[in-house]
Amino acid sequence: MFSSLLVDCGNALVMTLIAAKHRQIDFRQGFLLAVFALVWIVGGIVLGKAFIPGNQDFFKGSAGIITIIIGISFVLKGVKGKITGDNPGTVKEDSRPDALNKTDDGGRRHFLIYVGVALMAFHIGFFGIGGGMGYAISLMLFLSYPILKATGTAMLMTFCSTLFAAGGMFLQIPDTAFPDSDAQLLISMMVGLSMIGTAVGAKIAYSLTERQINFLIGGVVIFAGLLATIQKWLLQFI
């Protein structure tokens, strides 16, 4: 879990810097939600440490299906953008988050964003993996952020969340549990290569329209979900 959090934290840092460069982060909202998430991360860490070791079979099999569903939702969003003929590469004046938050249901939507962030923050602490995708979906669904703004803000939140969660787990790891120098080098290389891959992926994403980004994210997420599902079934025969 600790290694996974380091990878997610490194990737989130890269994406945060890139998104900031392109002015695709709502820093005020992102930091506010990140601070709110910290309490739920602590709760997830405490409960996960007590519950997961003796109940690992309980969590097998569902992650792949959930991932595929999320991927399909992005593909459908991309199809919808194509049908309506909108120009996904631009954000209309009346579709800015600040404007949309002033609608009649703004209060309810503002409440729901906190529910979504709480669930994802708990997920980060409980499972030890980043919740950037969940944060981004919550921002798009409840605050109507465009995909790039939602992703950038979500990466800021993910960096704060995973850094905090990794620090909390680090303090709970006994000295005898730290891997040898070769394993530490391997983890460092893994984090570094992942960050490089994230930077390359971000460069590609920022050259696409929003509709194309939806298709790209949807395809990658569906592929990852299929791999996880296939792996789960193959392990049953090993």
Side-chain angles (χ1 to χ4, degrees):
M1 287 186 179
F2 180 68
S3 299
S4 175
L5 283 172
L6 289 180
V7 172
D8 290 333
C9 186
N11 292 339
L13 175 60
V14 171
M15 281 302 302
T16 298
L17 294 175
I18 294 174
K21 179 181 178 181
H22 288 83
R23 300 181 182 274
Q24 292 293 342
I25 294 182
D26 184 341
F27 282 100
R28 181 179 179 278
Q29 186 74 75
F31 279 123
L32 179 64
L33 292 174
V35 171
F36 170 76
L38 298 184
V39 176
W40 299 92
I41 291 174
V42 172
I45 292 175
V46 173
L47 187 59
K49 183 172 180 165
F51 185 75
I52 290 180
N55 299 275
Q56 295 183 8
D57 292 338
F58 181 77
F59 302 99
K60 292 181 178 180
S62 60
I65 301 300
I66 295 174
T67 301
I68 292 173
I69 293 174
I70 293 175
I72 291 174
S73 69
F74 276 97
V75 172
L76 292 177
K77 186 176 177 64
V79 172
K80 182 180 178 181
K82 183 176 182 179
I83 293 175
T84 57
D86 294 336
N87 182 3
T90 60
V91 180
K92 298 179 180 179
E93 186 70 17
D94 61 354
S95 66
R96 292 175 303 172
D98 290 341
L100 286 167
N101 289 342
K102 296 178 182 179
T103 57
D104 292 338
D105 64 341
R108 179 174 60 85
R109 290 156 65 96
H110 190 73
F111 169 76
L112 290 175
I113 184 63
Y114 283 97
V115 175
V117 168
L119 291 174
M120 292 314 305
F122 184 84
H123 177 273
I124 291 173
F126 192 81
F127 291 103
I129 55 178
M133 182 69 71
Y135 285 153
I137 292 175
S138 296
L139 289 168
M140 288 187 289
L141 184 61
F142 302 129
L143 297 183
S144 299
Y145 277 38
I147 188 169
L148 289 179
K149 178 77 75 173
T151 302
T153 306
M155 288 299 100
L156 172 64
M157 296 165 58
T158 302
F159 172 68
C160 295
S161 297
T162 53
L163 183 64
F164 180 81
M169 289 188 177
F170 177 80
L171 295 176
Q172 299 182 58
I173 300 176
D175 293 338
T176 56
F178 280 99
D180 55 37
S181 57
D182 290 339
Q184 292 177 18
L185 178 60
L186 180 61
I187 292 174
S188 299
M189 292 178 60
M190 180 174 62
V191 173
L193 289 174
S194 183
M195 292 173 70
I196 293 173
T198 298
V200 173
K203 184 175 181 180
I204 295 174
Y206 275 96
S207 67
L208 303 176
T209 65
E210 186 166 339
R211 177 171 63 84
Q212 291 171 333
I213 293 173
N214 279 309
F215 282 129
L216 176 63
I217 294 176
V220 171
V221 171
I222 290 174
F223 180 71
L226 288 174
L227 282 181
T229 303
I230 293 173
Q231 181 186 43
K232 179 254 183 182
W233 287 107
L234 288 177
L235 289 176
Q236 293 182 351
F237 298 99
I238 297 179

